[in-house]
Amino acid sequence: QTERGDRQGGRGDREGETHRVRHIGRHKMQRLHYSGEPVADAVSTDIQTLNKFSDQQFAALTEILFRFVTEPTESERLLNELGEFASQNGMSLGPLKNIVKSALLVPNGALKRNLTAEHVKADFIALGLSEEKAGCFADQWRLHSAVLSRQALGQTITVNQLVDMEWKFGVTAGSSELQKVGGIFLQLKLVIKKGNKSEIIYMELTLPQFYNFLHEMEQAKTSLECFG
């Protein structure tokens, strides 16, 4: 009876291991929203290291990351803040830089593809980050969504030649966030020229985000005319 139980237990362990292997296999085959590519081992390893951070450490690092994402020209400030963070938490700066470099791939890719907080959360979970920490990052994405949306639209038009633009208004019928239900939003279809090829980019902005963007574009136009 004991031998049969051991065999059954061994079979159960193997079945459990097979299930985990299959789960990991599906995980790696999943395409990420921010890149359209499958999960990369090196990036996944860096992201999973964040699970070892305490909630306080992760929250502090997330703030540092979002300060850089919203102001991407401040690379020197980012390095200084990472140095302070590493010193305060007894970490080596080199490995921390690698982790941050991998973590920034998600928001930078999400900006280019105009992804939602839900997409960002799903990508971090797919890369191995705990659901709680992925949710924390997604909350910060929602908090900075107005700035990030304007930044994404501004970068797209500034870096690439705008060939054509279409827009239409819509009303949010359902959302996980109650305050968004019934809200008016603007869907943009941009046709931009990249080298010899044209590319279509879809974006979605709330009306306040769109008006803020127009205001900033008018200010930029005025500044250019002053120097013209």
Side-chain angles (χ1 to χ4, degrees), residues 14 24 33 47 142 148 151 181 191 194 198 200 217:
R14 288 194 298 274
I24 293 171
H33 297 99
I47 298 300
R142 291 188 189 93
L148 294 171
Q151 182 178 314
V181 176
V191 181
K194 285 189 174 181
S198 293
I200 297 177
M217 290 297 101

Side-chain angles (χ1 to χ4, degrees), residues 153-186:
L153 183 55
Q155 283 180 352
T156 300
I157 295 177
T158 302
V159 175
N160 305 285
Q161 180 183 350
L162 182 63
V163 178
D164 191 19
M165 180 172 69
E166 298 178 10
W167 66 87
K168 61 180 179 180
F169 292 98
V171 178
T172 305
S175 172
S176 58
E177 299 172 54
L178 186 60
Q179 65 270 25
K180 288 188 176 182
V181 176
I184 299 175
F185 61 89
L186 185 73

Side-chain angles (χ1 to χ4, degrees), residues 3 6 41 48 130 200 202:
E3 184 180 350
D6 290 342
D41 288 337
Q48 289 175 39
S130 70
I200 297 177
Y202 294 94

